[in-house]
Amino acid sequence: KNSEDLGIETELKRLPDTALFSQALEIVEDFNLDSSCDGILVQSPLPVSMGSNAGELLFGAINPKKDVDGFNPVNVGRLVQNRQTLFPCTPSGIIELLNCEGVKISGTRAVVIGRSDIVGKPMAMLLLHRHATVTVCHSKTIDLKEVAASADLLIAAIGRAGFVTREFVKPGSTVVD
């Protein structure tokens, strides 16, 4: 509905929870071949019925030029090398927010809490490409609060609202949660 409101033609394909991997793959392959399709987004997590490595295989099957999440291995490599043309949405939005607010990135110490493929890792890469010194933290990070409190720029990308509390934040730092 939001896409239509913006004038973006959207085709939604829904599969039942019992769908097989081959059904999802067929849809991706059809979109890959469709010249009127500019972007493909697969909603994850995928149903258990598709198998444990279905996400990896399905994202790898998406044409890199149509991979709006940036999960295809080709696009992950391009992101690491700063050669990507489509960047993952949430990290790109965070960079845009920081730019619009005039937040300095270059030369700052940035801490990203979260190492997901969809937000944490790409966020770290985008910050590195803008010359921040980046530390990536996760659930196994020792002294997480202290590491976070050393940041000039703190990005919480763990999908848990309110996780970052006052103890995580250095006075004067910028926080995106």
Side-chain angles (χ1 to χ4, degrees):
K1 184 177 180 324
N2 289 340
S3 297
E4 291 173 11
D5 292 346
L6 294 169
I8 300 170
E9 186 178 332
T10 303
E11 185 173 345
L12 176 64
K13 300 277 187 170
R14 291 186 189 267
L15 292 173
D17 289 343
T18 56
L20 301 175
F21 173 77
S22 59
Q23 294 171 284
L25 183 60
E26 184 178 334
I27 291 170
V28 166
E29 289 172 344
D30 288 346
F31 280 134
N32 279 340
L33 296 172
D34 184 350
S35 62
S36 70
C37 174
D38 296 315
I40 301 170
L41 188 145
V42 174
Q43 185 62 50
S44 60
L46 298 173
V48 175
S49 63
M50 291 190 186
S52 60
N53 65 342
E56 180 181 313
L57 295 171
L58 197 58
F59 293 125
I62 296 172
N63 178 337
K65 292 180 181 176
K66 297 183 179 191
D67 175 25
V68 297
D69 276 327
F71 283 160
N72 182 288
V74 170
N75 288 336
V76 172
R78 288 179 179 154
L79 173 64
V80 169
Q81 294 179 344
N82 201 20
R83 295 175 24 186
Q84 183 68 332
T85 55
L86 285 175
F87 293 103
C89 299
T90 300
S92 295
I94 292 170
I95 293 293
E96 183 68 20
L97 173 69
L98 296 171
N99 288 338
C100 287
E101 292 298 317
V103 175
K104 181 183 175 195
I105 298 174
S106 181
T108 62
R109 178 169 181 155
V111 172
V112 177
I113 302 175
R115 57 181 167 181
S116 70
D117 290 335
I118 195 162
V119 181
K121 290 176 190 173
M123 186 77 249
M125 285 293 106
L126 292 179
L127 291 168
L128 279 171
H129 296 323
R130 285 158 183 78
H131 312 292
T133 299
V134 181
T135 301
V136 178
C137 298
H138 46 78
S139 61
K140 305 292 185 212
T141 299
I142 296 171
D143 299 326
L144 177 58
K145 288 180 185 177
E146 290 79 10
V147 174
S150 71
D152 303 308
L153 176 57
L154 178 61
I155 311 291
I158 59 169
R160 207 163 83 196
F163 179 81
V164 172
T165 59
R166 183 172 304 247
E167 304 85 49
F168 285 73
V169 182
K170 176 174 78 174
S173 64
T174 299
V175 180
V176 179
D177 186 356

